[in-house]
Amino acid sequence: NKNGYQKYRDRAEKVHAAVIENVELFTPDQETEWAASETAYAKLGQIAQRILESRESPEWNKALAMVKTRGTPLYEKLLSNLDEMVGSCRTLMKEDTVVASAAATSLHTMLYILAISGVVISALLGTIITRSITRPVGKLVTAVEGIARGDLSQPLDITSKDEIGRLAESVRGMIEELREVVRLQQMV
């Protein structure tokens, strides 16, 4: 009936409008399929209108024949074109999924490498910084322990310009002062 046809027509127009909004995303094959579908859709619409007009006239048998000879083949062609487009879209989605998955895997690998590199670099820097502090302090401790035992001949070869270097310079000065005190006591 006319109301059923109008509902079908309204639904088809909504679908058509939704597809038209995304036509710029079509591949060349999809554009060809869409053009064939639009042609079939337009012809099917004309045939449907003529069938409705025939149905309301005494030529109902003509309308039925038109459905069988013209409407059904166009409808099948339209469905076939839409099936091809859906298949093409599914293929593209699978390809995009593979590409996106590969990119995600690559990104995860890169993040793991960066994280491991960061840990290794941090450990190396920590070791270098720790050694640059503990070695001079160890030398100072050895020198001070020797002084405590009365050995004033402790070599102190720390020449850095930081706080540890200044402390080493002070210990060297203290050793020199103690040597002078010992020398003076030996003279007395």
Side-chain angles (χ1 to χ4, degrees), residues 41-61:
Y41 179 74
K43 287 180 183 177
L44 187 61
Q46 293 169 357
I47 290 171
Q49 187 63 40
R50 286 174 43 201
I51 289 170
L52 284 175
E53 290 169 2
S54 298
R55 184 172 181 211
E56 294 175 359
S57 73
E59 300 177 358
W60 175 240
N61 289 335

Side-chain angles (χ1 to χ4, degrees), residues 89-110:
C89 287
R90 284 187 178 143
T91 300
L92 289 173
M93 285 190 300
K94 285 179 184 175
E95 291 170 1
D96 288 347
T97 300
V98 168
V99 169
S101 179
T105 300
S106 175
L107 183 60
H108 285 141
T109 302
M110 188 182 308

